[in-house]
Amino acid sequence: QRETQTYECNTDPCPKDIQIIRSPQSQSIPVGSPVTFTVRYVGIPAPTSTWLVGGSPLVSRGKWSIETSEKDGIYTSTLTISRVEVSDETTYSVIVTSSASQTP
């Protein structure tokens, strides 16, 4: 037996899956400066985001901070590096998923 849930959509049109509104942009930042990457998305049911560094999942710790918020059905996830070092030069990406986009 499957559990059913009701989801409320505050956007028009209401996406049945994930829709990226704003993708993270490539940036060149001086060493010692902070940098923030942002993704904005909508989806039903509520999507989740996972930030990657060099293809591996990244968690908030030390100089890396990940924050996710929601307002009016639009989700914003940010990855901030508080102080960029030369060793931080790599590929950062984000994966956004929801249970609707996963195979049962």
Side-chain angles (χ1 to χ4, degrees):
Q1 181 179 0
R2 287 185 91 173
E3 215 177 282
T4 59
Q5 296 182 6
T6 303
Y7 298 98
E8 183 178 333
C9 178
N10 297 322
T11 62
D12 185 30
C14 186
K16 294 186 170 87
D17 201 358
I18 299 165
Q19 189 174 71
I20 303 295
I21 297 171
R22 178 180 175 203
S23 296
Q25 302 298 308
S26 183
Q27 300 180 51
S28 296
I29 304 298
V31 170
S33 298
V35 63
T36 299
F37 300 98
T38 302
V39 62
R40 287 199 173 105
Y41 51 92
V42 294
I44 300 293
T48 58
S49 59
T50 303
W51 286 93
L52 308 172
V53 58
S56 298
L58 184 64
V59 295
S60 285
R61 71 170 184 254
K63 64 181 178 180
W64 291 295
S65 172
I66 298 170
E67 295 182 13
T68 302
S69 62
E70 180 270 337
K71 182 177 180 185
D72 298 328
I74 299 173
Y75 296 83
T76 301
S77 182
T78 59
L79 165 63
T80 300
I81 304 172
S82 61
R83 187 177 163 99
V84 173
E85 298 172 16
V86 173
S87 61
D88 294 322
E89 185 176 355
T90 189
T91 300
Y92 296 88
S93 56
V94 62
I95 297 173
V96 180
T97 58
S98 79
S99 60
S101 63
Q102 299 172 0
T103 312

